[in-house]
Every structure is written in structure tokens, then in C-alpha cells.
Amino acid sequence: MRLRALLETDTLGLRLLGGEDELDRTVRGVMTTDLRDPSRYLSGGELVLTGLAWRRKPEDSERFVRILTQAGVAGLAAGEAELGAIPDDLVAACSRNRLPLFAVDEDVAFAAITEHVVRQVSSERAGDLAAVVDRHRRLMTSGPAGGGPEVVLDLLGSDLDLRAWVLSPTGRRIAGSSLAGAGPELPAPVCSTLAGEHLAATRSGRRGPYRLATQAGTYSLFPIRSWGHHPAAAGGGRAAPEAHAPASRDVRETVLSDWLLAVEADAGEWSAERLDLLQGVTQLIAVERDRRDAARTVRRRLAQEVLELVQAGAPPAEVAARLRVAAPVLLPGLGAAPHWQVVVARVEWEGGDLDGGPITQSLLEEILVGQGTDDSEPPDRIAVAHNGKEAIALVPLPSLPADEEGPHRSPGRGLEAEELLAAVGEPLARGLDGDGRLTIGVSAVVQSAEGLRGALEEARHARRVAAARPGRVCAAGHQELASHVLLLPFVPDDVRRAFTARLLDPLRDYDRRHRAELVPTLEAFLDSDGSWTRCASRLHLHVNTLRYRVGRIEQLTGRDLSRLEDKLDFFLALRMS
């Protein structure tokens, strides 16, 4: 709004005392102060309201006005309640510094002026932003993307003073404002917390925006739902919007793939117009989401073709030829053939009424994109296919010299199962809570087409190991397949229960009746490799007390803990329980 508009509002009771030639200045905000030096709280464009409590002598006026002028304020409005009339020295100082000066009638509260200015400025900013967003939407929907989500977030920052970020369901930062002075970046733990809240709120059926107060501040979360995007569409293409209207879709189809807009503000205090504007912003970002998803079509198709050849037992030369086609797409400019890794994932919902392959494909792409190599390389270079039940990823790893190998790039190491879920396990567990599970298996790194079939089977076996563990989100790597742990997932549940009950139930019953701690003693004895001294020291027991407990275990179970076979049976029973 302009300063001139303030004079035209009779209810504000303002009188112009000087600066008539400057009334076309733009007012961007309002501030009330009686500080002698309020410069630290000024950013420029404000209408400053003051009760003149800072003025103790005439010389103070010049100093105060110069501070305001240097800060770039739009104008000064002084109240008459304190001194009865505006001092001449203040009028003269404003005239010398070309600062518009208004007198505020003592019957008019500063709060009324503040409310009027804030309402007008917010309304005008929202209208200007809405027009820009609408224009940007038309550009993005009719032609090439107009700069991505960052452009829209910059508009929110410059026109509505809102800091905002686009986050993935795993908490990965997809976009943020690029304006200078936009403030510190959103910390990774906060991103993870916001993503988890978004997933939990979506699963519970709450209406957005979702509000969350954290130690870092209050945030409002707006779901970015693109009904033109559907993970089940062939090759990741765009389905007809009317075919997947919001009312006809199961939230589990998209909860693990939809982005969210996190705004550092409390949307509960917003007007309906501003809420509508932010909803329009999410729709605009959804267009970019669809574009990025469509760009994965080629990579998905390449992965599908390679995996079909591998699973069909095609000759390694044929698989290698197809990989040579895939490598330039996934790693353009790469001189040598890359190493490869296979990751298998599966999302399962209780009841089995949803096809988990497409859901897992989208989620696995997100998880692996979050494991990008470094800032100099585009991270979206993985290829993920699905077979209706599970998603399978081909992950290229450049062959790097030893002194250039990074934490996720070393051909000898590659992706690690534990690191893969370190940053995403918590939010995804909230999205799956109640009736869903995500299990992931990671193969070792292979250097040629001959190793791909073995890597695929290795990743599938590792995923079965992960599936045997408790928890909503589990992963296992190839390293665990060289252990007895590999055998446990393939033991039928009824056999597990019978085996563990026969060995451990007598001990548990005895512990409940006598508080004898036989089961913890058995665990410590086996962990100490049967060493009486080490086990007694670990449990803070006398060796004779330990011998008595072990004897009681043998008596109750009919087993002999000096025999390797019985030790192994107890060890496996504890692992399976």
C-alpha cells in the first residue's frame, strides 16, 4: 500500500505534517517503538509509530529521524497523547531528511493503525503473489518447467515473508528458498520429524494443513497431492486425472510417495484466502513432481529389460550389452563400465488388498535418491523396476581410484543396509504404523553382467532375513548371509514356536515363579562362550552361584550345556524367540 492511502482513511485520524512529495512511498509493514535507536528491528519500508517517549531534548529528534532514514522506513507517525502536540524540532528534522511525518490523534490507538496496515499489506501481497503463481502455473502446465519448486518458494519468501521447503516422505529436502538472507537451512532432524508427522497425520485421515510445534519453531504442513500421478501407471507415466479422483483412492497408494510443503508459520491463524493460495502453490509444485516422475520412465524401462533378461537366465553377453545401453543413461560421461549393486524392497499391508510393487517402486526410488553420491553429480541415477510384489533397483557405482572412494561410492563397499535406513526409518515407520511393513535387502557389489543374477538372489535372501525381524522398517545386507542368521527366515513359524517353547518355556515359567533369572543367565553364558569366569564376572555372581543356575537350566530342560549341540540349540532358540 502507499502512504497516500493512509490519509484517505478517515478512521485512522492521521494528519500530514510534512513530506507531501513522498506520499507515493510503498508501505511494507508497521512497527511501534519508543526506543532511542530501533535500527536493529527495522528492515525498510515500515511505517513507524512512536509515542515520543524517546525525546528528552530537541537535539534527540535529528538523531532519531536520521536513524529511521538510514534504515529506509517509509514514514513516521507520532502520537499526540504524550506531549499534546508534535514538537517543531521533529517536524524540522523530518523535513530536512525528506521523511513523511504524520500526527496521530490522541483518541486513535496505535493498534488500530497497525491492524489496518497489516491487513492491507497482507491482502495486497497475497493478491500479487496469487497473480504471479497463476501465471507461473500456466507456464509450467503448457511448456517446459519454469525453474522448479524453488521459484515458487522464492515468491513465498519475497511476497509473503514465508520460509518454506518441499520435503519428500522420507524427510529429504527437495527444494527451499534460494533468496539471499532467507535464513538458515532446515536441519535434517527437523526434516525427518516433519516428514514423520506428515505421514502419521495422513494415515490418520486428518485434514491438512497439519501443524507441528518443535523446538526449532512452529510449522504448517501442506500435502502435495498430484492426482495426475499414479505409481501404478505403466512406466511411471501420467494417468488420466478422472481415473484416480481423490475420493476413489486408498491413502496407502500414495502416502509413501507424496511430497509435502513445510511452511515456518502457524496456518491456524491464517485467513481463508491465504490458505487457498497455499493450496494453489501445492498444486503448482505437484506439476513439477509429475514432470520429475515422468523423467524416470526411461530408467524404469531399462531396469525392467535388464532384470527380465537376468531372471530368464539370458547369456551374460546379452545382459552385458543391455547394461552398456543403460550405463550412459544412468552415468553420462562415464569412461569405464560401472560396478553394480542390487537392492530389493517390498511393502506389505495387512490383508494383502493392495498391489505393493508400484508403491515400493516409488518409495525405493526416493530412498536411493536420498543416498546421492555428492553435490557435483545428479543423484537421480538409479533404475527401479517392479514385478507386482517387490521393487528391484539397479544401482550403478563408478569404478573410482582408491583415493577417491567415498562413503557411498566405493566398489568394494557400496550401499550399506543400515546406512540406507538411518535417516528414513523413523518417518517411514510412522507412515506404515498399524498395518504396513517395509523390508529391504542389499546385495554385494558386482563388476560384470555375470554377477547380476547372483546379486539379485543375494538381495532377495537378505530381504527375507530383514522380514524375519520385528519392526515396521527393516533392512539386511549381504554380509549377514554368511551367518546362521540366513537359515532362520526359512524356518516355518509353527516350527519356530514349537522349538523355542520346548527349550525356553520351562525356564521362563521357573523365572516367573522364583525370579531366578535363568534366561538372562543362559544368554550371558552363551555370549561368554561357556567361560565360567567371564560369565560370573559379567553377571556379578560367584562362580558357585553360576554353576547352580546352569545346573538348574540343565535339570529343567534335560540338556547338557557342556555339549556343543545343546549349546547351539539354546543359541538358536534365543535368536528365534
Side-chain angles (χ1 to χ4, degrees), residues 493-544:
D493 289 343
D494 54 345
V495 176
R496 284 170 177 254
R497 287 190 292 268
F499 180 74
T500 58
R502 185 166 61 250
L503 283 176
L504 301 182
D505 280 2
L507 306 182
R508 290 166 176 161
D509 291 342
Y510 192 87
D511 281 348
R512 278 194 294 269
R513 293 196 307 271
H514 303 285
R515 298 182 180 179
E517 297 187 353
L518 295 184
V519 173
T521 301
L522 174 62
E523 291 176 326
F525 185 74
L526 295 175
D527 287 344
S528 302
D529 298 324
S531 169
W532 296 97
T533 304
R534 290 206 308 272
C535 183
S537 175
R538 178 174 176 175
L539 295 175
H540 305 289
L541 297 175
H542 192 278
V543 173
N544 289 339

Side-chain angles (χ1 to χ4, degrees), residues 309-359:
L309 289 174
V310 170
Q311 294 180 104
E318 186 176 352
V319 178
R322 194 60 54 91
L323 282 176
R324 284 194 292 273
V325 174
V329 176
L330 299 176
L331 290 172
L334 188 66
H339 294 73
W340 297 92
Q341 219 171 351
V342 177
V343 181
V344 173
R346 189 166 183 169
V347 171
E348 298 174 286
W349 304 98
E350 291 180 8
D353 55 337
L354 279 181
D355 186 358
I359 301 169

Side-chain angles (χ1 to χ4, degrees), residues 1-2 26-27 119-129:
M1 67 177 300
R2 307 287 183 182
T26 300
V27 179
R119 185 169 58 247
Q120 293 297 318
V121 170
S122 297
S123 176
E124 291 177 4
R125 284 181 175 177
D128 292 343
L129 179 59

Side-chain angles (χ1 to χ4, degrees), residues 234-236 294-311 318-332 340 361 365 380-386 392-396 452:
R296 292 177 175 173
T297 302
V298 174
R299 290 190 292 273
R300 288 176 174 178
R301 187 185 305 120
L302 287 171
Q304 197 75 41
E305 292 174 352
V306 171
L307 290 169
E308 286 175 357
L309 289 174
V310 170
Q311 294 180 104
E318 186 176 352
V319 178
R322 194 60 54 91
L323 282 176
R324 284 194 292 273
V325 174
V329 176
L330 299 176
L331 290 172
W340 297 92
Q361 180 184 45
E365 286 173 338
D380 199 354
R381 283 173 168 167
I382 41 82
V384 183
H386 76 84
I392 305 164
L394 288 175
V395 182
L452 271 182

